[in-house]
Amino acid sequence: MKIILDDPEATESLGQLLAQAKPSLGVIYLYGEIGAGKSTLARALLRELGVAGPIKSPTYTLIERYPLVKGEAAHLDLYRIATAGELDFLGLDEVAENTVLWLVEWPERGQGALPKADLLIELEPHGDGRVANLRSETQTGAAWLARVSKMAGFRASS
């Protein structure tokens, strides 16, 4: 599914829709160059799920965890790592116990150490906005995209 996002507010709206349609357990891999809007999308999604207070980019901490009504969200930014082995010290097995939403920026740097993605979202600059390419990787992801599509009033394709 391809969506034109005309401005940062449209990116935030997509994040809100993803939150409203979220399955009980979901994993999103976020792709795009620096400044493409990955953190903006993640922040809007988390805010829509009820996260209060500051929502920090995990660029330097690698992971930020946020309590949700049921479980927690884990937001990872793997830009600063070179190999998946560097994730060992994060204790992702422990994180996984309560995590119902994974948001992973630069997931290609953590291959083999991350949960399987339900959705892949690639953000690319497009004029003053960006283009979001969303693709499902699992049945959960396909159902998630279908709900987003229905809520937004357009037809999903994967």
Side-chain angles (χ1 to χ4, degrees), residues 18-37:
L18 288 163
Q20 292 164 14
K22 186 186 93 50
S24 58
L25 175 62
V27 179
I28 299 176
Y29 286 3
L30 297 161
Y31 294 92
E33 294 303 316
I34 293 173

Side-chain angles (χ1 to χ4, degrees), residues 30-66:
L30 297 161
Y31 294 92
E33 294 303 316
I34 293 173
K38 298 178 302 293
S39 291
T40 298
L41 181 74
R43 197 171 287 117
L45 196 159
L46 291 166
R47 186 73 64 213
E48 184 69 17
L49 290 174
V51 175
I55 298 176
K56 301 179 282 184
S57 173
T59 300
Y60 294 101
T61 59
L62 300 182
I63 186 169
E64 292 289 338
R65 295 164 70 178
Y66 299 96

